[in-house]
Amino acid sequence: MTWVMTSKMQFYLHDDESLLDGLLRTGHDVNYQCREGYCGSCRVRNVSSSHPIAYPFVPLAMLEEDEILPCCCRVQGVIHIDHELISE
């Protein structure tokens, strides 16, 4: 089970649920467009995580060291993110 912590709340991801879908399900305001890792509009800041963040494929969006794409990343364990809009 994956636990997600934001400034708003703590919740867990359902089986096979993306981080983006979990954020939307719990009422977080996250921009998104492609859901494929191309546009980068859903990027959030990874504050900390108990396991490495993985991607099933290399995303095309340019990311800073502490940014992740909730639409396509794979998270495990406990992750703490800053979901506030990151300006490009």
Side-chain angles (χ1 to χ4, degrees):
M1 180 181 307
T2 299
W3 283 98
V4 180
M5 290 188 247
T6 70
S7 60
K8 220 174 147 175
M9 69 177 59
Q10 176 177 306
F11 64 94
Y12 67 91
L13 294 180
H14 294 295
D15 291 340
D16 297 325
E17 182 177 42
S18 72
L19 180 54
L20 176 61
D21 288 335
L23 288 166
L24 295 173
R25 172 176 55 82
T26 55
H28 290 82
D29 184 24
V30 180
N31 289 331
Y32 65 94
Q33 290 180 20
C34 72
R35 291 183 168 257
E36 299 283 330
Y38 299 123
C39 70
S41 65
C42 69
R43 76 184 70 221
V44 297
R45 195 166 318 283
N46 179 20
V47 176
S48 65
S49 57
S50 63
H51 291 73
I53 307 298
Y55 290 90
F57 52 86
V58 178
L60 293 179
M62 300 295 289
L63 297 172
E64 295 294 325
E65 182 95 10
D66 63 347
E67 294 176 342
I68 60 173
L69 298 175
C71 69
C72 60
C73 71
R74 300 289 183 254
V75 295
Q76 297 177 14
V78 178
I79 184 169
H80 182 196
I81 61 170
D82 180 356
H83 70 284
E84 301 299 321
L85 180 64
I86 296 176
S87 58
E88 295 183 40

